[in-house]
Amino acid sequence: MHELGHTRSAHRHNHLLLTPDTFVRAPLPGMRNAAAIIHVAPAAGARFTQFTAEFEEGGLLGPAAAQRFVYVIEGELEMNGRALAAGDFAYFPSGSKASVIAKRGARAAVIEKPYQQLLDGTPASDSFTGRESLVSPEPLEGDPSIEVRHLVPDDAAFDFAVNTMTYQPGAALPMVESHVMEHGLLMLSGGGIYRLGEYWYPVQKGDFIWMAPYCPQWFGALGKTPARYLIYKDWNRSIIF
Ligand code: UGY
Ligand code: MN
């Protein structure tokens, strides 16, 4: 029970690692029989908000104030009259009145972001749902030991991307990345070592990471089972100022 003040959680100027022992739950306005663990928000310097919503049977998350992406981690949720199970996901554009309803206990990763309009483009206006297992994997830069699944359509109407990345044990990013996009990352299974800035962290299922723009980053998967994470990034807008 007592860790004598020790945790793997860390907060540095260009990244945040939050491990489940430090999660704090609170209801959000518009929630019923549910609670949120707010992993990152503008309060920490991010330009999006990501939280885990935990629902009891009959729980509800009301409509978002911004566009919203939901990925079901476990249990079953209903959105826009559709039942979504673990590995299913949904997108709701700004202004959507859709709620998220739990028929039984469930957990979901929720990403919300104010929409950044393209000067001469049509905004994303339709909601959609999908199933991760039906999305074709792409090898990362030709490496079949790292599979990337794109959950948001490749369309400039969307100002963010959400992918899953699955690493076979021993697979690693081919380089230390440092880029203008920020990331929200939730470990879904397995584990490994994440380099963030000048630090190397052991990470595992359940951990959350925020990487600020230009945070040097690298991951290598360890253990006997694949490591898999859900990763958000701002996309299609980086050169707009
Ligand atoms: O999409 C990405 O930038 C991804 N390769 N980054 C990461 O896994 N940290
Ligand atoms: Mn990256």
Side-chain angles (χ1 to χ4, degrees):
M1 178 67 196
H2 291 283
E3 294 290 340
L4 298 173
H6 181 73
T7 179
R8 288 184 296 112
S9 281
H11 187 192
R12 315 256 178 210
H13 78 96
N14 59 1
H15 64 271
L16 180 61
L17 167 64
L18 290 173
T19 59
D21 54 301
T22 58
F23 289 173
V24 173
R25 292 160 173 83
L28 288 173
M31 271 186 159
R32 193 182 66 212
N33 294 339
I37 304 153
I38 302 189
H39 298 305
V40 78
R47 286 166 293 154
F48 67 104
T49 296
Q50 182 164 348
F51 59 93
T52 296
E54 296 182 333
F55 299 88
E56 297 166 25
E57 193 178 314
L60 175 129
L61 168 65
Q67 53 181 342
R68 173 184 278 168
F69 184 92
V70 182
Y71 177 91
V72 184
I73 302 168
E74 64 177 3
E76 196 177 297
L77 291 168
E78 194 182 292
M79 295 167 234
N80 268 351
R82 284 181 188 223
L84 302 187
D88 293 347
F89 54 88
Y91 169 81
F92 302 100
S94 299
S96 168
K97 297 276 177 283
S99 295
V100 181
I101 299 157
K103 287 270 152 69
R104 53 191 176 92
R107 290 193 307 128
V110 184
I111 293 160
E112 296 181 353
K113 177 183 188 295
Y115 184 69
Q116 198 178 347
Q117 182 74 48
L118 263 185
L119 276 183
D120 52 356
T122 317
S125 57
D126 295 330
S127 58
F128 65 81
T129 59
R131 177 159 293 178
E132 185 194 352
S133 59
L134 299 180
V135 177
S136 310
E138 285 175 20
L140 183 77
E141 301 194 20
D143 179 353
S145 68
I146 306 179
E147 291 182 342
V148 184
R149 288 176 175 80
H150 301 272
L151 309 188
V152 174
D154 180 18
D155 180 332
F158 294 98
D159 65 353
F160 68 85
V162 182
N163 304 328
T164 58
M165 294 183 66
T166 306
Y167 295 69
Q168 292 308 311
L173 282 177
M175 56 187 260
V176 178
E177 297 177 7
S178 183
H179 49 62
V180 66
M181 300 83 79
E182 59 182 331
H183 284 310
L185 183 160
L186 186 66
M187 291 296 300
L188 296 172
S189 43
I193 299 292
Y194 232 105
R195 176 185 171 165
L196 300 167
E198 304 313 312
Y199 299 86
W200 277 255
Y201 300 96
V203 296
Q204 63 187 16
K205 178 181 174 178
D207 293 348
F208 175 83
I209 296 169
W210 171 62
M211 296 169 232
Y214 296 108
C215 176
Q217 57 198 257
W218 174 90
F219 179 66
L222 291 174
K224 301 212 184 291
T225 56
R228 193 164 128 263
Y229 54 71
L230 182 77
I231 183 165
Y232 158 95
K233 59 183 164 185
D234 46 303
W235 195 237
N236 288 323
R237 299 291 188 276
S238 310
I239 56 165
I240 294 173
F241 50 89

